[in-house]
Amino acid sequence: MLTRRQLIKAGAATGLIAAAAPAGVALAGTTAAAGPASLFAVPLRIPKVLRPTSRGRGGGSRAGYDVYQLTTREVEKTIFAGTRTKMRLFNGELMPVIRATRGRPVVIEQVNALDVPFSMHLHGGHVPASSDGHPNHQVSPGGKRVFYYPNDQRASTMWMHDHSHDAHAENIYRGLAASYILTDDFEAGLPLPKGRYDVPLHLRDAQFAEDGSLVYEPDGFMTRSTILVNGAPRPYFEVAARKYRFRLANTSNERAFLLQLGQGDEMTHIASDGGLLPAPASARVLEIWPAERQEIVIDFSRYPVGSKVVLRNLIGFAGEAPEVMRFDVVRTAADPSRVPATLRANPDIGTPTVERSFVMNFDPATGHHLINGQHFDINRVDLRPKLGVTELWTVENTDVRFGIPHSMHTHLEHFQVVERDGVAPAPGEAGLKDTVTVMPGKTVKFKIKFTDHAGLFMFHCHLMGHLNMGMMGQMAVEN
Ligand SMILES: [Cu+2]
């Protein structure tokens, strides 16, 4: 895990500048009506849980399966009072949630009612190649495709987003993202906060025009100064004085968050991309990069009723309000939940017998972002991993001169970080991951084993501007 100082230093080099305001300082733009710069003027939305349109029996699974119909279309939503914002959404919903159970597959009947291509990727999903959202499988405007998610993997918080060849960054920016929360018996048996005390929080940034419309410029990441949580600008959330589980996902194109609660109050980090950590980790700050998920438990019982506790981002651009949202403690409540001292051991994926190296860098001559000197080519296969073989991947970011962070996201399998610059991962990074950020001049090593689903999958940087400019490769997973 990077230190805050390292992060801020690295951030400064990329234009991310520490903008944390001193405690208690009122910021300009604090008004009762919600606008792009307003603070705590609107309540947090709890995302809608989608219902299956039908349920099937059998079909190769004893437990049966659930069918969902998802239509991607342009819809107008009210983000700010008195204005309408055109967005691209699943079923017209902001960040809807699919809840799934291990062992019970989900079938998605996807209809693309947009006028741009769309390809759905379940980020974190262990799925057959035909359902992975490869750009070869993109759905044209007016087209349909069926996706099959076996759900034969550990409980985790995943998310669904576009992976079409050219439109993905803009489609995600315009709202095409959804939560996919998979549970299993092991996780359900733990005494963690449940039900209404288990809340998804999608963090992202955006730029809005005065009329409420979204402004999308591919390189506009420094001007996306409005922070949305579950689609609401810097909201407040009324909580009970007890423990809550928050499933954080960063669905920004480019923005990283380094979150701090109150004056550095403790958060208990319980899960990351691939589900529960081996053990809970105490966090005074929590970093979350694009596409990552981090889950925390916050115990509000230590605050008197009437308290207002702010969650801030310590790495924002100059002049931005650092506030992300505010928790208003409004009542007491019984709390049978607790965080066990151990959570979930990682699977033993063995000792690597294959090693691969990935050098990630920006090429100023072409403006492309490269992996091992190469721009993405849909007609080129970059690796051919064998099923059942454990590999060690070394990912090096050589962009010291430009100070650009990169990340590595693997489709199909989660991985286990072995070391960052020779040091074992911090407890918060010791679980299963599918996206890892590598700062300029740094190296991360992880081990990965592809266990099933032969076929063509992607690996790439999840900073969307870099991905757009070629930072992606293909792997043909072979028997
Ligand atoms: Cu990158």
Side-chain angles (χ1 to χ4, degrees), residues 19 34 38 67 71 82 106 128 151 156 164 186 238 241 292 387 402 421 459:
S38 66
V67 181
T71 301
V106 161
N151 293 328
S156 66
S164 62
F186 180 91
E238 294 189 339
E292 282 187 321
L387 288 175
F402 299 103
D421 283 309
F459 59 95

Side-chain angles (χ1 to χ4, degrees), residues 254 360-362 369-370 397 399 404-408 438 460-467 471:
E254 315 284 343
M360 306 182 85
N361 72 283
F362 171 66
H369 286 264
L370 309 175
N397 175 347
D399 271 332
I404 303 171
H406 295 295
S407 67
M408 175 62 90
V438 187
H460 57 87
C461 180
H462 223 294
L463 299 171
M464 299 307 291
H466 304 179
L467 175 53
M471 209 166 224

